[in-house]
Amino acid sequence: MSSWLGGLGSGLGQSLGQVGGSLASLTGQISNFTKDMLMEGTEEVEELPNARRKEVEAIHTILRSENERLKKLCTDLEEKHEASELQIKQQSMSYRNQLQQKEVEISHLKARQIALQDQLLKLQSAAQSVISGAGGVPATTASPSFGYGLSHHASAFHDDDMDFGDIISSQREINRLSNEVSRLESEVGHWRHIAQTSKAQGSDSSDQSEICKLQNIIKELKQNRSQEIDNHQHEMSVLQNAHQQKLTEITRRHREELSDYEERIEELEDLLQEGGSGIAVTDHSKIHEMQKTIQVLQAEKVESTKKIEELEDKIKGIHKKLSSAENDRGVLKKDQERLSVENRQLLEECESLKLECSKLQPYALKQSDTVTEKERILPHSSSVEEEVFRLQQALSDAENEIKRLSNLNQDNNLAEDNLKLKMHVQVLEKENSLLNQEKEELQISLSKLNNEYEVIKSTAARDMDLDSELCDLRRNLEAKEQELNQSITEKEILIAELEELDKQNQEATKHMILIKDQLSKQENEGDNVISKLKKDLNDEKKRVHQLENDKMNITKELDVQKEKLIQSELVVSDLHLTKQKLEDKVADLVDQLNKLHTKNLNIQKENFELQERIKQKEEELSRVRDELITQSRLNQDSNSNFKDDLLKEREAEVRNLRQNLSEIEQLNENLKKVAFDLKMENEKLNLACENLRHQLEESIAGNNQISQEKNAIVEALKIEKEQLDAELCQAEKRLLEETNKYEQTMEELSNARNLSISALQLDHEHLIKLNQEKDFEIAELKKNIKQMDTDHKETKKMLSSSLEEQKQLTQLVNENEIFIEKLKERSSELQEELDKYTQALRKNDILRQTIEEKDRSLGSMKEENNHLKEELERLREQQSRAAPVAEPKTLDSITELESEVNQLNILKDNLKEEIKHHQKIIEDQNQSKIQLLQSLQEQKKEMDEFRYQHEQMNATHTQLFLEKDEEIKSLQKTIEQIKTQLHEERQDVQTENSVIFQETKVQGLNIENGSEKHDLSKAETERLVKGIKERELEIKLLNEKNISLTKQIDQLSRDEVGKLTQIIQQKDLEIQALHARISTASYPQDVVYLQQQLQAYAMEREQVLAVLSEKTRENSNLKTEYHKMMDIVAAKEAALNKLQDENKKLSTRFESSGQDMFRETIQNLSRIIREKDIEIDALSQKCQTLLTVLQTSNTENEVGGVNSNQFEELLQERDKLKQQVKKMEEWKQQVMTTVQNMQHESAQLQEELHQLQAQVLVDSDNNSKLQVNYTGLIQSYEQNETKLKNFGQELAQVQHSIGQLCSTKDLLLGKLDIISPQLSSGSSLTSQSAESLRTIKSDVLSESSKQEIEELRKSVQEKDATIRTLQENNHRLSDSIAASSELERKEHEQTDSEIKQLKEKQDILQMSLKEKDLLIKAKSDQLLSLNENFTNKVNENELLRQAVTNLKERTLILEMDICKLKGENEKIIETSREKETEYQALQETNMKFSMMLREKEFECHSLKEKALAFEHLLKEKEQGKTGELNQLLNAVKSMQEKTVIFQQERDQVMLALKQKQMENTAVQNEVQHLRDKELRLNQELERLRNHLLESEDSYTREVLAAEDREAKLRKKVTVLEEKLVSSSNAMENASHQASLQVESLQEQLNVASKQRDETALQLSMSQEQVKQYALSLSNLQMVLEHFQQEEKAMYSAELEKHKQLVAEWKKKAENLEGKLVSLQERLDEANAALDSASRLTEQLDLKEEQIEELKKQNELRQEMLDDVQKKLMNLVNSTEGKVDKVLMRNLFTGHFHTPKNQRHEVLRLMGSILGIKKEEMEQLLNEDQGGVTKWMTGWLGGGSKSVPNTPLRPNQQSLLNSSFSELFVKFLETESHPSIPPPKLSVHDMKPLDSPGRRKLDTSVPGSFKDTTESRSGRRTDVNPFLAPRSAAVPLINPAGLGPGGPGHLLLKPISDVLPTFTPLPVLPDNSAGVVLKDLLKQ
């Protein structure tokens, strides 16, 4: 590259050089022409208008500079625009994120709110249900209406946000009324029951009349109740309307305030967490703490005042030390910043106070209780104290600032700094005093608050007063907050204006004093207002008591509110005053801004003036340079000796001037930059103004929001007033409950918010951690990707060397793999579809099972129906047989049965519907099955397509193999060719048979290799085919596995569902049987069964529990086994995956390596062999020629004699060589022995390998044994399962026995029912029967024995006997009826009383029976639950068993896979070994080929040497003597060659050794691999043993546990038997007591009859009272409604007025706030402007210093210039009167040489040089025209080379064309060879601006011409202005004498008109000073 570039550069250089040469020649010609033209117009030259050009150039430069400045501005603005866009994007992103976060928070809060509302609704519904439940069963008619009302109510509340207190009050009323209704209904039920009993007897007409009366009463009561319900519903509707109105208002307010309150609550929670003073403080201890804090604050105040005094003293001392405080100015600035931060903190604290107030408002809105309001006010006062404390902290910070102010620092003006510091200190002192005053005011306010608090304590019971006080406190707080805000804003303004606005600070302090006075006035007014308000409060307290009587108090409250409005007007007037002050401040700031603008303008003007000055100076410099140059030209002739020195000096001066110019330009640039910075700052200020305007708009919007909030608060307060007035009478009891509830809800909400915040924080942290982890992962992945890239590149390089055939093969393989992967994906998709369909099938099966269950249940229901019908018929028969007393019972049973039948019919309908639904589902599933079949067919088609593709692949493979075969054949042909060549060599060379033999061997090997290659390629193809087949098999296996798994899962699910359904059916049947038995009548024989089965019950229950516990243990064991099995399976799967990976790796390796290398090596070797053969042929030919020559020479010349000494020496050398050969052979034998040893070692290693394989076999045997053990375990597990089944059967038996017990119980109950009506005739017998019944009842639960049953049978027999006796007595009585009717009546009465008593007893007994039934039901439920648990456990066990079986199957499959993989591994290992052997064979062939090569080379060498030797011999023969010696030398050489051969053999042996070592290492690696396998197998053995041991332990434990349980159960049986004996004794005692109780019951009956009459009277009374209450309630409601309407009208009028007033005040406040904000913005702008001005002043100072330095430098330069000018003027003066002698001589001689016609022209020239006018010359010429001969010719021809010359005019050339033209040519020739070199400028080597142009002129103008001009300028300096420099073409001195034709000459006209083609040479405008300046600026 470098050479190429160099060539390019040189070529360019040459071309450029040529161009330069041509240009130089052109410029030379042009310059010559222009010289001629100029020489003609020397006399007619005049001044050009130079000034105009300069002006144009100056304008051009200005425009350029402006253009550049504008470009820079554009670029800067573009950059800023991009930056701002980026910022805007970032901000928008952040805002979007914040928005999303806020939305998420809102959604969370909404969700929480909904959840809380749901909870509240649930609680209310529960309460309602409890209340409705308390009414009892009889409240059937009332419940629907009430339910409707409640539901309606709840819905109304659910729609709106709830007013809980109102709801609770309404609920209480409803509850009270429902209780009354339920009570009445219970009475009605009681009387109905009595009526039914009397009906059943149907004996007396008097009872019937009573029943009729009662029925009438019931009807009336029903009517009354319906009326009451209607009234209540009307009340409810009224209440609901009122509530809805309230709720709509509350929700409107709530929704408006919720968004604000949520934010405020969050902030307050943060504050609460920081400072422990919470809002919901309830303890009195906290009040004491607050008082203590107030005392502490007062003490701190005293200390702070002391400190302030000390600080003042210190400040006085510090004023003296100010001189040493110069280095601490930065500290002050930091302090000021800190103060501003503190101010911000104070503002934030004020905001927090506002937030606290706002938090207090909702509590005041919701809670009117006195205690809660006390608690609210306390934290408010504490917050004020906190504010005081913060103000004190601010004071202490200010003191610190004063200390630091003592260390102020300024550069030069310490006096000014002192003044400023004093001002600062004064300001800070004033601030301190202000803060103290504020603190005092706050303390006063605290004390006032405490007083108010005490007042509130005394008047805690009155709600309205507290509300008004709260309002006052809020107003006071707002006023104080405003004051605080004002003071804080003023403080900020003061801090901002400290440094630069001293006068303004004084004015601000004055304003502060005024504001302070006004604030104090405001405070006094506020105190007066508070006192007034207190009076008003007292008045209002009195008025609250008179609310019930007087409605006029509301008008008085309106007056109070008007007074408050007047006070607010006063506050607004104060605000107006503050506004005026702020406006004054704004005016001052505007003035300051104007001043700053004027300053900026002045600075800009000064900049412009400086620029103009610089331009002037530049012009002066250019003029000076022009003068210097002109003077230098004048002085060239006179000072020709000192020219070099002067030139050097001048160059130096020029350089210095240029440096100065560049510095000036830099200054100019700096000034421009400063101007640009100023403009930028102006733009920034404008932007700040715009931002402030935006902020103003935002603040106005915020104020509007605040005003809206205030309006909302005012409205809320007014609405609250209305509510409180309306509900004062009723709300005293409710308020406490409401407050508690509200507190609870608030706490819950706060807790929930805290939790949500913490959860969010945790989530955030978690996300951050996750993000970091992801970042790490990404970094790692990037590293991996880089590594992969590098690896990829390397592999690409490797692969590039491989052949195209291999690529094709790999592509085909890849395609196969892709197809296989596709198949796998398809199979996975099919599996997923299969899973879906299997799930659908499962659902179908479940539905079928459910249908079957329903069918079964239907069948069972039908059977039960039949049973019930049969039992009904039996009952009817019994009823027909039985006495009329049992009629009501049968009626009840019939009604129950009918209801059951109805229920069964409903169930039947439901079942039918379900069956239809299931049929639809079955149809859907059939459709899905059809779809499945279709998809399967499609998949089959795809499989066929894949097979077809596979066949195509095979075909391509076969084609490839054929091509390979062809290649192999071609290789074989080449080998045969090589063989033929070798045979030819054998025929040619007879001496080297051994070599040829070796060659043939090699060729044989090569052939073998070729065949091997052929085999290899075939083997590879076979492997590929096998691999593809194996893949296909794998796919099939996977599909089969999937199918089998799905089948298993289906079977499992079906089995489980079937079992569960069967169990459920059994349970349902049992339950139905129990119900049937309970409903049916029973017999007394089954009592014995009941007792027996109850005993069995307990036993079986315990057994069931024991079995359950055993099952749970088994379950846990099975789970552990399942987990272990899963681990094993996972491990095996991992092993499988590893093996597969290894297989893949091995296959890829063996495929990739081998073929390419072998081919390349074979080709290379064949090439080398061919080359060597050619060499050998050439050498053999040489040898033959030499031999022939030798033979010929031998025949011709006889062999000469050789020296004996030489011969001996040669012989000795041969001996030595022989010895060396022997040594080499010995060494070879040693190597052979080592090789043999190595072979032995390898054999040993192989033996070890065999041993290891044997060990592996042993391990596999062990494994099989373990598997056998495992199968044994599984069998034992199955045995356990059978045991479990036996247990289940036992359980079923237990359940059967339970069923029998239930039936016996039912029979017993039936018996008792039959026995009870038969005891009507005999009182004594009935008493006995009652006792017996009672004993039965008492001992049913306490499991009675068989003895009791036998006793019961005896008693029944006795009762039968008594019945018979009674019948006999009846017969006797019927005989005696005719005799005595009076006796009959008496007996009638007695029997009636007895019947009543018996009925009562019967009722009691029935109640007791029901209780027993309930107990039995409970027991049965317990049993059922236990059974369910047991079944669940059994199901779990079954599931676990199935899982275990699945795992076994999986393990088997995995083992199969492992076996397959092992087989594959072995195959791969075998293939690898084959490959290795092939590789080794190839390596050996390679080695042999290399050896062959070496041998061939050696032969070549030997032949060459022989040839040389023969040549030498020939030469010697010619000489005639040294033949023998040469022979000996040849022998020596042959010996040397033998040594070389031995060395080669040694190398071969070494190679063999290395191969052996490689084999050994391979064998060792195999050994290690086998050992690793051994270790793994051992580990598996140990693990399996451990597993066996654990399983055995678990089984032994279970057996022991079972034995323990058996022992416990036996103990329990003994205990139960003892209990039976005790219960039998108790029965006997109970029968005695029963007889006594019967007598007492008869007495109670009489009492009850009396009570009935009394209750009837009370009922009538209560009904009348209810009517009266209803009337009074309706009247009250009417009054209330009227009252509410009046109040609403009043309040609406007041509200409108208030709203108008508030709107006006709001507008005023908004205007004021807007003005305040604008003022603050202006202040900020002013401050910013001042900062920028200070920076500008500093920059200007620096610039002024730089300008002064430059001015000094300019003055020095000007002095230098003046000196130079003086010198030049002296030179001019000295040379002005002189004339060059040589010139005059030449002119003089020339006059005589010229022709006579042209002599007058020469004379004119001389006259012009001497300064004679034209007129005088013409006169002289006219006077003397003759006598001039041969002047011109001598002047032109005979003159020296340095003679000056002037061309003639064209009109004068016509006379002597031939002579003049020739002379002119000679003149040009002389001029073209200058005698003097061109002069150099030498003003201290300084470069003027226009030097390049001047140099060009100087170089182009020849020397002689310059001489002429200079010599002429001796007399007249201003001859030819065109030879002067371009920047000053007009000379300094005005030309005195020009010819008359000057102005009209061609050359003095504009250049564009006359000479358009030669514009650059006379005057170039581009090379002016302005252009050079521009170039510099560009650079």
Side-chain angles (χ1 to χ4, degrees), residues 1095 1098-1103 1105-1106 1343 1605-1619:
Q1095 284 177 355
M1099 293 283 285
E1100 281 166 2
R1101 186 163 175 268
E1102 283 165 0
Q1103 285 172 1
L1105 285 164
E1343 300 166 6
R1605 279 174 207 152
E1606 274 183 355
K1608 283 175 187 173
L1609 287 165
R1610 279 172 188 158
K1611 284 175 186 174
K1612 279 180 185 175
V1613 166
T1614 52
V1615 170
L1616 284 164
E1617 283 172 354
E1618 287 169 3
K1619 278 182 185 176

Side-chain angles (χ1 to χ4, degrees), residues 339-354:
L339 270 171
S340 64
V341 171
E342 284 168 359
N343 279 329
R344 283 175 200 159
Q345 286 174 355
L346 282 165
L347 280 166
E348 285 168 3
E349 285 161 6
C350 289
E351 283 169 1
S352 69
L353 282 166
K354 279 184 193 172

Side-chain angles (χ1 to χ4, degrees), residues 849-850 852-853 856 1054-1070 1431 1435 1438:
Q849 285 166 4
T850 49
E852 285 166 6
E853 284 166 17
R856 285 171 194 164
R1054 282 175 195 166
D1055 296 339
E1056 283 166 13
V1057 170
K1059 284 172 186 174
L1060 285 165
T1061 47
Q1062 283 170 7
I1063 290 154
I1064 288 154
Q1065 283 170 7
Q1066 286 171 6
K1067 298 294 164 194
D1068 290 336
L1069 288 164
E1070 283 168 7
T1431 50
N1435 290 327
E1438 283 169 356

Side-chain angles (χ1 to χ4, degrees), residues 184-205:
L184 290 164
E185 279 174 350
S186 64
E187 283 174 1
V188 167
H190 175 66
W191 292 118
R192 192 183 283 167
H193 184 67
I194 290 157
Q196 280 175 356
T197 52
S198 62
K199 259 188 197 174
Q201 288 213 339
S203 61
D204 200 13
S205 62

Side-chain angles (χ1 to χ4, degrees), residues 1472-1514:
S1472 65
R1473 280 173 188 162
E1474 285 167 5
K1475 291 246 170 148
E1476 279 170 357
T1477 50
E1478 285 165 10
Y1479 188 72
Q1480 284 168 3
L1482 284 163
Q1483 278 181 340
E1484 284 167 5
T1485 50
N1486 233 344
M1487 291 295 289
K1488 283 168 186 173
F1489 275 123
S1490 60
M1491 292 302 290
M1492 290 277 283
L1493 268 170
R1494 284 175 188 169
E1495 283 164 5
K1496 293 274 178 182
E1497 281 168 358
F1498 192 74
E1499 283 169 8
C1500 288
H1501 281 297
S1502 63
L1503 285 165
K1504 280 173 188 173
E1505 282 165 2
K1506 280 175 186 175
L1508 287 163
F1510 281 127
E1511 281 168 2
H1512 280 296
L1513 280 165
L1514 279 165

Side-chain angles (χ1 to χ4, degrees), residues 135-174:
V137 181
T140 51
T141 54
S143 61
S145 64
F146 272 89
Y148 164 76
L150 286 163
S151 64
H152 186 67
H153 208 67
S155 67
F157 287 133
H158 191 66
D159 291 335
D160 304 315
D161 297 341
M162 297 184 193
D163 197 354
F164 299 119
D166 296 338
I167 292 157
I168 290 155
S169 63
S170 61
Q171 278 177 356
R172 278 183 180 165
E173 284 177 3
I174 290 154

Side-chain angles (χ1 to χ4, degrees), residues 927-938:
Q927 287 173 3
S928 65
K929 274 180 188 174
I930 291 153
Q931 287 172 1
L932 245 177
L933 288 163
Q934 286 172 1
S935 64
L936 278 165
Q937 285 170 359
E938 286 169 1

